[in-house]
């Protein structure tokens, strides 16, 4: 199959570009390896609980801000959002951030674009000279042709390491990639007795090194609330020294015990009213998103954000490793800028 633009990855970045391009009449195909869209903000459901996948702090949902600007071009409604108590710029999104991803997916289809799930991309396809990218090769062996551009929603490390190929990556870029550091996240998904809420500082708060996001009523079985607790972790730690599954399980269990003890020490108000349901760590984030070392919190860098360009003139990047901040609104905003560049 041939399209003007092929987008690799259905995270917020890839979806925004594909939805906008399709709405502007550009023939576009988005390829996502998973069975659902969203990547880092894909739905997290366990034991009847619908968990907030991140910290639940979303900016730029106000009038005239980035989401309104993007959705005004699309044939779908923007998800409802409401300001968090005591805040004038932080919003919660009805249905969580996955609903933004799902609206973009719906928009692609409504505009006549192509969205293919369960379609992992292996690498770029090159012409006979081996110099120019002409599309992408899927893991299945199929080649999807991109007449004008390929947009990678993979991290900057994976765009070069997997799509472009390290043998085609300029030396300078390889050096730069080594200087860029990413962080890992460790999450606990838990079930809270609703009666305990009154003892807590709010529904979104930070205590010591933990960010806590409590889901709305209805996100859990009656009398309960779904809670996501996030802390940072060194991603390399999760990929080294684990020769077997048992060792990995032990590592995960030790991390959980440590986090749980520190959390209760920092916030005794949880008391016995909170129960662990699941955890996420750099290994599980790797399984979900295929991001290098499961690094899901952007790039820590003192330099300027990298921008959309790659070493190939018709291959571009979108996503949180090339934006100034690793947040959803920054990704959407940068995706709009790339779309404008591709359609000018
Ligand atoms: C724990 C946590 C808390 C957060 N909290 C907040 C918050 O409160 N507020 C906020 O604004 N932001 C928050 N963020 C940040 C926000 O979620 C991310 O910046 C954003 O979702 C990143 O989107 P992305 O498009 O860059 O990448 P991703 O979500 O990583 O999307 C990449 C997509 O590419 C797909 N893919 C990978 N390899 C292939 C392949 N070979 N072929 C096809 N598809 C492929 C993946 O499956 C994935 O769907 C949080 C992030 C995390 C991890």
């Amino acid at each position: 199959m041939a399209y003007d633009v092929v987008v690799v990855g259905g995270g917020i970045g890839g979806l925004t570009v594909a939805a906008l391009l399709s709405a502007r009449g550009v023939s576009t195909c988005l390829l996502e390896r998973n069975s659902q869209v969203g990547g880092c903000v894909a739905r997290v459901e366990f034991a009847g609980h619908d968990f907030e996948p991140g910290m639940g702090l979303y900016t730029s949902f106000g009038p005239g801000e980035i989401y309104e600007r993007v959705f005004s071009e699309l044939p779908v409604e923007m998800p409802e959002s409401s300001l968090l108590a005591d805040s004038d710029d932080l919003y919660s999104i009805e249905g969580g951030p996955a609903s933004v991803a799902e609206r973009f997916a719906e928009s692609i289809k409504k505009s006549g674009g192509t969205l293919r799930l369960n379609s992992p991309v292996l690498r770029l396809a090159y012409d006979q000279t081996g110099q120019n990218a002409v599309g992408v090769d899927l893991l299945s062996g199929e080649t999807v042709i991109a007449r004008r551009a390929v947009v990678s929603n993979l991290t900057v490390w994976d765009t070069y390491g997997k799509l472009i190929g390290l043998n085609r990556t300029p030396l300078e870029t390889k050096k730069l990639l080594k200087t860029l550091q990413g962080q890992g996240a460790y999450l606990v998904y838990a079930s809270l007795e609703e009666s305990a809420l009154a003892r807590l500082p709010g529904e979104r708060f930070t205590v010591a090194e933990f960010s806590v996001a409590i889901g709305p009523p209805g996100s859990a079985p009656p009398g309960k609330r779904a809670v996501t607790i996030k802390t940072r972790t060194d991603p390399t730690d999760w990929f080294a020294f684990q020769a077997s599954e048992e060792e990995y399980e032990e590592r995960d269990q030790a991390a959980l015990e440590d986090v749980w003890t520190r959390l209760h020490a920092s916030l005794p108000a949880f008391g016995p009213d909170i129960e662990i349901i699941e955890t996420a760590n750099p290994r599980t984030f790797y399984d979900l998103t295929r991001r290098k070392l499961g690094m899901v919190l952007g790039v820590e860098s003192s330099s300027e954000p990298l921008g959309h360009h790659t070493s190939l003139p018709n291959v571009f990047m979108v996503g949180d490793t090339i934006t100034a901040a690793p947040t959803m609104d920054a990704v959407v905003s940068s995706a709009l800028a790339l779309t404008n560049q591709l359609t000018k």
Side-chain angles (χ1 to χ4, degrees):
M1 289 296 287
Y3 302 88
D4 283 342
V5 179
V6 171
V7 179
V8 182
I12 283 296
L15 287 163
T16 312
V17 171
L20 285 167
L21 285 174
S22 303
R24 293 182 190 184
V26 178
S27 113
T28 305
C29 174
L30 184 147
L31 300 159
E32 164 58 45
R33 57 173 285 277
N34 271 331
S35 56
Q36 59 172 346
V37 292
C40 289
V41 299
R43 292 205 176 275
V44 181
E45 289 164 351
F46 298 112
H49 296 64
D50 190 355
F51 290 100
E52 163 58 55
M55 290 176 284
L57 303 172
Y58 302 102
T59 50
S60 313
F61 274 90
E65 293 194 278
I66 188 65
Y67 290 99
E68 201 177 87
R69 275 161 44 212
V70 166
F71 274 96
S72 70
E73 285 197 42
L74 307 181
V76 294
E77 292 291 313
M78 174 171 143
E80 296 287 323
S81 60
S82 43
L83 274 172
L84 293 176
D86 302 328
S87 172
D88 55 10
D89 66 347
L90 290 173
Y91 294 79
S92 66
I93 309 167
E94 199 170 296
S99 59
V100 177
E102 288 159 2
R103 293 283 165 94
F104 285 147
E106 192 190 334
S107 177
I108 295 169
K109 291 186 220 159
K110 269 198 171 173
S111 303
T114 303
L115 170 66
R116 288 177 60 180
L117 300 173
N118 303 306
S119 303
V121 172
L122 190 58
R123 61 171 98 84
L124 289 180
Y126 288 90
D127 66 5
Q128 281 167 342
T129 68
Q131 302 298 315
N132 307 305
V134 292
V136 296
D137 291 330
L138 305 193
L139 197 59
S140 63
E142 184 189 347
T143 298
V144 180
I145 300 293
R147 287 184 289 255
R148 280 172 50 195
V150 173
V151 174
S152 167
N153 186 205
L154 311 195
T155 64
V156 62
W157 300 287
D158 300 313
T159 297
Y160 283 100
K162 295 180 184 168
L163 283 190
I164 293 176
L166 278 180
N167 54 342
R168 287 188 166 91
T169 301
L171 198 59
E172 288 228 329
T173 311
K174 277 191 195 167
K175 281 189 195 155
L176 174 71
L177 292 181
K178 282 195 183 145
T179 66
L180 301 175
Q181 289 297 316
Q183 275 275 347
Y186 188 87
L187 268 59
V188 178
Y189 302 113
S191 183
L192 180 75
E193 293 295 335
E194 209 157 34
S195 53
L197 261 179
R199 303 197 299 267
L200 301 179
E203 301 204 345
R204 302 277 189 279
F205 58 91
T206 305
V207 56
E209 74 269 39
F210 302 104
S211 303
V212 179
I214 298 172
S219 62
K224 311 260 188 197
R225 291 288 189 96
V227 185
T228 304
I229 299 150
K230 183 211 141 225
T231 185
R232 283 172 179 248
T233 185
D234 178 357
T236 51
D237 211 27
W238 289 89
F239 290 84
F241 316 122
Q242 286 145 26
S244 65
E245 257 327 279
E246 287 74 35
E247 268 183 68
Y248 162 68
E249 295 288 343
E250 278 171 27
R251 171 78 185 79
D252 194 28
Q253 188 57 31
L256 178 57
E257 281 168 22
D258 178 44
V259 163
W260 207 236
T261 308
R262 283 186 292 126
L263 178 72
H264 279 280
S266 310
L267 196 71
F270 272 140
D273 291 336
I274 186 163
E275 184 195 353
I276 301 163
I277 306 263
E278 231 342 310
T279 58
N281 63 48
R283 285 264 298 249
T284 57
F285 275 117
Y286 174 77
D287 290 342
L288 174 73
T289 63
R290 284 293 185 273
R291 294 167 69 115
K292 184 187 174 197
L293 294 178
M295 294 186 292
V296 283
L297 299 174
V299 163
E300 286 186 354
S301 167
S302 50
S303 54
E304 284 288 293
L306 287 172
H308 303 291
H309 288 277
T310 68
S311 54
L312 295 168
N314 62 338
V315 179
F316 301 87
M317 292 184 283
V318 69
D320 63 3
T321 58
I322 60 136
T323 52
T327 57
M328 230 170 81
D329 61 322
V331 172
V332 171
S333 188
S334 131
L336 173 62
L338 174 60
T339 310
N340 290 342
Q341 200 176 315
L342 293 173
T343 51
K344 80 175 169 214

